[in-house]
Amino acid sequence: MRTLTDSYVTDNVQAVSGIINGTANYMLSAMATGQSYEQALATAQAAGYAEADPTNDVAGIDAAYKLMILSRFAFGQELSLPQIAPTGITHLSASVCRLAAENGWQIKLLAQIQRHGSGLYCRVAPVAVPVDQPLSQINGVQNAVAVQSEAIGTSLYTGPGAGSTATANSVLNDVLVAAKHLINGYRMIRNQKRSVSLTVTRFDQLPQTYLGIGPVAPEAVKYYANEADFSVKTIADDCYQITGLSAVKRKKLRTNLPLTLIPIAGTTDWKQVTENSITSPINVAI
């Protein structure tokens, strides 16, 4: 938060993407090595990384709340939970995570928000991140946030996102900073430069490439590819890369075939998005 307010005041943030829930990341890292969802959750709870009721973490709700805060700091725009409509990790299995890892992807619960034209696009969902991208290497309870901006380019900020000492340190630090501001009479300053709100759209409404994993014969996938006009590439047994999948085509594919469909990071087809006039940039400072 302080980096966004201090280092990006004169810059124009274009996108923020991050792993911002340590519990979910710990579990996904364990599942990629073969642990079942239940085993990964039990281990996380025993280590103090997951609550007795882990719903907010595994359902993506905690990450969505954090993305709402990031949106205010990066773009000066409010988001609501229904606008984000987070997808958690409860539907994922160890076999899905392991097969993705064996073929060049790590599945991460990503929180993303990106400006394109006069639109703001958001997502909290499991995403297949190619292993050559830095976010794929963030494992265990580590968190990481990548910020893309016009002047600085892409920067990555990482640190622990769960555990008693890390959490206690962050909370105590925030309390001390707030107390210092109160003593010095320091007030928040918001630099609002935008006159109109950006239109909010979820990433899953845009055509993109998906990783499809499930016990389905290549012929069956290719049959629906020809029928629904998208392309498919067989990566390995029960693992497919499916390109040009819109929301409608994705729904039809899920209805007809037992595939787990996971969006691949950085594959959004922006050519399908209507360009609108760009509004003035937003900066927030405290």
Side-chain angles (χ1 to χ4, degrees):
M1 298 299 99
R2 294 190 186 105
T3 299
L4 282 173
T5 57
D6 294 340
S7 301
Y8 291 89
V9 172
T10 58
D11 203 348
N12 185 22
V13 175
Q14 299 165 323
V16 178
S17 179
I19 298 166
I20 53 180
N21 184 272
T23 301
N25 200 50
Y26 180 90
M27 292 177 62
L28 289 173
S29 298
M31 290 165 69
T33 65
Q35 286 192 30
S36 68
Y37 175 91
E38 292 76 18
Q39 288 172 329
L41 176 57
T43 304
Q45 289 174 324
Y49 299 143
E51 303 285 347
D53 179 0
T55 302
N56 277 8
D57 294 321
V58 298
I61 298 171
D62 173 75
Y65 285 146
K66 291 172 181 174
L67 187 64
M68 291 161 65
I69 297 171
L70 285 170
S71 177
R72 293 186 63 186
F73 277 73
F75 299 99
Q77 176 138 346
E78 303 283 348
L79 290 181
S80 66
L81 199 60
Q83 284 178 314
I84 300 172
T87 299
I89 65 171
T90 55
H91 67 290
L92 297 177
S93 65
S95 60
V96 168
C97 295
R98 189 174 62 251
L99 193 54
E102 290 172 353
N103 289 282
W105 292 275
Q106 289 290 334
I107 298 178
K108 300 295 182 182
L109 182 66
L110 285 194
Q112 298 172 275
I113 185 164
Q114 180 171 342
R115 181 172 180 174
H116 186 82
S118 61
L120 200 59
Y121 297 83
C122 62
R123 170 165 60 198
V124 170
V127 175
V129 183
V131 293
D132 61 353
Q133 294 187 11
L135 284 177
S136 74
Q137 306 303 317
I138 305 300
N139 296 312
V141 296
Q142 285 292 106
N143 279 189
V145 175
V147 180
Q148 182 180 342
S149 65
E150 288 184 356
I152 298 176
T154 301
S155 301
L156 183 69
Y157 307 90
T158 183
S164 57
T165 55
T167 303
N169 180 74
S170 295
V171 171
L172 184 57
N173 185 68
D174 286 344
V175 170
L176 292 175
V177 170
K180 182 178 179 180
H181 287 176
L182 183 64
I183 292 171
N184 294 334
Y186 191 85
R187 293 180 178 273
M188 178 183 287
I189 300 172
R190 295 188 65 190
N191 183 13
Q192 188 82 305
K193 294 185 178 180
R194 177 169 42 80
S195 59
V196 295
S197 295
L198 302 172
T199 302
V200 178
T201 305
R202 296 196 312 274
F203 270 98
D204 64 7
Q205 300 303 302
L206 305 177
Q208 54 202 292
T209 301
Y210 283 77
L211 193 62
I213 297 177
V216 180
E219 294 76 16
V221 182
K222 290 176 181 177
Y223 170 81
Y224 284 103
N226 293 332
E227 187 178 76
D229 189 28
F230 59 81
S231 61
V232 58
K233 176 183 178 182
T234 301
I235 303 299
D237 289 344
D238 301 333
C239 182
Y240 306 93
Q241 184 172 320
I242 305 169
T243 304
L245 209 54
S246 66
V248 173
K249 295 175 185 177
R250 186 178 69 247
K251 183 178 180 180
K252 183 175 182 179
L253 191 60
R254 278 177 170 155
T255 300
N256 290 282
L257 296 177
L259 284 173
T260 297
L261 296 175
I262 304 162
I264 297 177
T267 62
T268 301
D269 187 355
W270 293 109
K271 296 191 298 292
Q272 302 280 347
V273 180
T274 302
E275 287 282 2
N276 296 309
S277 57
I278 299 177
T279 55
S280 20
I282 268 293
N283 293 304
V284 179
I286 59 171

